[in-house]
Amino acid sequence: MPAPFALRHWLACLLLLIVPAVSGCPAMLVVYLISSSDGDNVTITAEIPRSAGDIYTTAVRIAGEDGETNYAVTEKDEAKHFLRAEAKDGTWWFEMTLVPLDDHDTQLIMVGVSPGDEDEQRNRGLIAVERICTDLGVRYKVVENDMNRS
């Protein structure tokens, strides 16, 4: 991953932590959608007011329900709250990492690659986050931030 993208990714994560605290509205989940202009990488970052264990269990269950035909979970690590899924036809993949902020709040970071098909990867990631949030009963708002590389 090139350094400019990594820096932008971490800046977006930092903003994700600061914005809810400054706005004084922690009940509304803000989902940040960050994409690079090369059309391959899409990163979705969300702070979810649930434990990492609850979110991980929900994500694994949803992947098991949906993954039978289109994709397969190729790697999972419950201790690290990590999940990787790949399309069965090899056209895309995504990785989800959960970072516990405390016992009740977790940052979800989902990185996906779908070469030449950024819109489809964006939609795939948003649908996944929406399913998790809906299942957990969490309201959310999507904030999009396109980061163009020079």
Side-chain angles (χ1 to χ4, degrees), residues 1 17 27 83 93 109 111 125:
M1 183 180 304
L17 294 172
L83 179 73
W93 60 264
I109 302 169
V111 178

Side-chain angles (χ1 to χ4, degrees), residues 1-16 34 36 43 45 145 147 149:
M1 183 180 304
F5 180 75
L7 178 62
R8 291 177 184 152
H9 176 78
W10 286 111
L11 285 174
C13 292
L14 180 63
L15 283 173
L16 180 65
I34 305 157
S36 63
T43 302
T45 306
N145 182 8
M147 296 187 168
R149 290 191 213 177

Side-chain angles (χ1 to χ4, degrees), residues 38-97:
D38 65 4
D40 290 348
N41 301 312
V42 174
T43 302
I44 295 173
T45 306
E47 185 175 324
I48 301 176
R50 295 290 189 273
S51 72
D54 289 348
I55 297 167
Y56 183 80
T57 300
T58 299
V60 168
R61 182 183 50 74
I62 290 171
E65 293 171 357
D66 293 348
E68 295 297 319
T69 56
N70 298 328
Y71 62 89
V73 174
T74 58
E75 187 179 345
K76 53 184 183 175
D77 185 334
E78 185 174 4
K80 294 181 181 178
H81 303 111
F82 175 82
L83 179 73
R84 180 182 172 95
E86 297 178 16
K88 289 187 176 179
D89 64 4
T91 58
W92 58 265
W93 60 264
F94 76 82
E95 294 179 346
M96 179 192 76
T97 303

Side-chain angles (χ1 to χ4, degrees), residues 35 42 83 91 97 101-102 107 118 130 134 136:
S35 58
V42 174
L83 179 73
T91 58
T97 303
L101 301 174
D102 58 35
Q107 186 176 58
E118 181 180 343
E130 178 183 25
T134 299
L136 293 170

